[in-house]
Amino acid sequence: MKKFLFESHKVLCLGLFNGFNSLQIYPNIYTYPTIYKKLHGVEKYIYRLKEHGIFNKNMEQWYGAWKEKIKDVDTIMISDGIRGRDIIQFIHKENPSARIIVYYLNSNFSHGRNEPSKYKDLPCELVTFDKKNAEEYQIQFKHYYYPRMETRTFAIDATDNNTYKQDIFFIGEDKGRLNELLKWKEIFEKMGRCTCKFLILKTKHKFYFKHRNELISKPIPYDEVIKEIKQSRAILDFAQSRQHGLTYRPMEAMCFQKKLITNFEEITDYNFYNPKNIFRLSHDNINDLKSFLEQPYEPVDDSIREEYVAANWLDSFFQ
């Protein structure tokens, strides 16, 4: 069994690091998916007042059970679910020698409480999955991982069934992309001569006058998503205009050995990019799409895939 560098450390992971439950086999890794306690009624109202700077004292009373572990670890990793400087200040006060890492899996901050510029003077490392944000805020870039990317055998087993229900599969929330997504679906079907299945999740609190038949009202279980991926030749990755970081879709394609169709311009910067596997909407000829899908997938080298395994991703912070 591979020996990891993080095994010589005690690591506390706060927030939503998907798939980190697989690391619970290591007794030195402590995972807490929620940073703040669940609050209700008056208690929640008081917390909101404090969060917005009114009576902003003793915020630690709202923290989860993880705060009891602070003095027992040497490294704390925090997801961008962080909602204020108080978390880092509290950790540093309780354990001044601990290494604190904040990882951003969000491209759009809108001057919110988790914007990187608000933490740069604190004793912590700021890391992001978004290359443009890394340049803008002068912080470290590190791509994310894919929780299901565990072994080569898993990926091969996932593609044993060559009975395809559709050529192209898309799943994702509307987020203002509905019209563009439906436009591309029509292009794929008419010009690309492809069959498609699109599952577009309604944006909360948005009323839809049309296209209701193309929308789903609630997320579907992720195991169902994987089932659809297995039954498709390709996955559509349709990034939002302000996004410059890698989403799950390209990593799903790599894991399950599926072709990828994408509008993500920076895809060529990643070491798994292969024009025989990845069709760029802004670059490739739509008339070639059908033949692109019919060509065999070229497996990504194991050494590259390994970078997107959760344990290896965590280990990279200690190299």
Side-chain angles (χ1 to χ4, degrees), residues 77-261:
M77 294 190 66
I78 312 172
S79 75
D80 60 4
I82 190 169
R83 298 178 65 86
R85 292 164 56 93
D86 55 280
I87 292 278
I88 295 169
Q89 291 168 335
F90 171 77
I91 292 172
H92 185 63
K93 180 187 72 174
E94 295 295 310
N95 189 344
S97 63
R99 180 187 180 194
I100 305 172
I101 304 167
V102 179
Y103 186 80
Y104 287 93
L105 191 59
N106 188 347
S107 295
N108 306 315
F109 303 110
S110 301
H111 305 290
R113 285 184 292 277
N114 64 344
E115 187 174 10
S117 60
K118 297 179 179 179
Y119 298 86
K120 294 196 75 173
D121 63 325
L122 294 176
C124 62
E125 301 168 37
L126 304 176
V127 187
T128 178
F129 89 119
D130 188 300
K131 287 189 175 183
K132 189 170 182 180
N133 282 348
E135 295 174 2
E136 179 181 353
Y137 293 102
Q138 292 296 293
I139 61 179
Q140 183 184 348
F141 165 78
K142 187 184 291 290
H143 65 68
Y144 202 43
Y145 60 91
Y146 180 53
R148 302 289 180 114
M149 190 89 76
E150 292 299 335
T151 65
R152 185 67 172 175
T153 303
F154 179 85
I156 293 173
D157 290 346
T159 57
D160 280 346
N161 182 4
N162 289 320
T163 303
Y164 300 114
K165 288 175 59 179
Q166 58 265 336
D167 291 318
I168 302 168
F169 174 64
F170 172 82
I171 186 166
E173 189 179 337
D174 170 9
K175 295 182 179 178
R177 302 175 294 174
L178 179 61
N179 290 333
E180 279 192 278
L181 285 167
L182 294 179
K183 179 196 76 173
W184 278 108
K185 182 174 183 286
E186 184 177 4
I187 291 172
F188 295 151
E189 291 173 337
K190 290 184 177 180
M191 296 180 63
R193 308 183 308 282
C194 298
T195 57
C196 301
K197 183 169 185 177
F198 279 33
L199 299 176
I200 305 171
L201 180 65
K202 293 179 180 179
T203 296
K204 288 182 179 180
H205 311 302
K206 179 178 177 179
F207 182 77
Y208 292 86
F209 293 96
K210 54 183 180 178
H211 304 309
R212 295 183 183 180
N213 293 334
E214 290 87 358
L215 295 161
I216 57 176
S217 299
K218 58 183 180 180
I220 66 173
Y222 193 61
D223 284 342
E224 290 297 314
V225 173
I226 291 177
K227 183 178 178 181
E228 293 290 349
I229 289 173
K230 292 179 184 180
Q231 296 173 341
S232 308
R233 292 182 185 275
I235 301 169
L236 173 63
D237 170 46
F238 204 81
Q240 299 176 73
S241 59
R242 292 178 293 174
Q243 180 183 309
H244 300 274
L246 198 65
T247 67
Y248 269 3
R249 302 290 94 92
M251 293 187 281
E252 288 167 341
M254 178 168 41
C255 180
F256 296 106
Q257 299 186 6
K258 298 295 180 179
K259 296 294 183 80
L260 180 72
I261 302 168

Side-chain angles (χ1 to χ4, degrees), residues 18-26 147 150 310-311:
N18 290 324
F20 262 29
N21 55 339
S22 65
L23 301 180
Q24 290 178 352
I25 61 172
Y26 300 99
E150 292 299 335

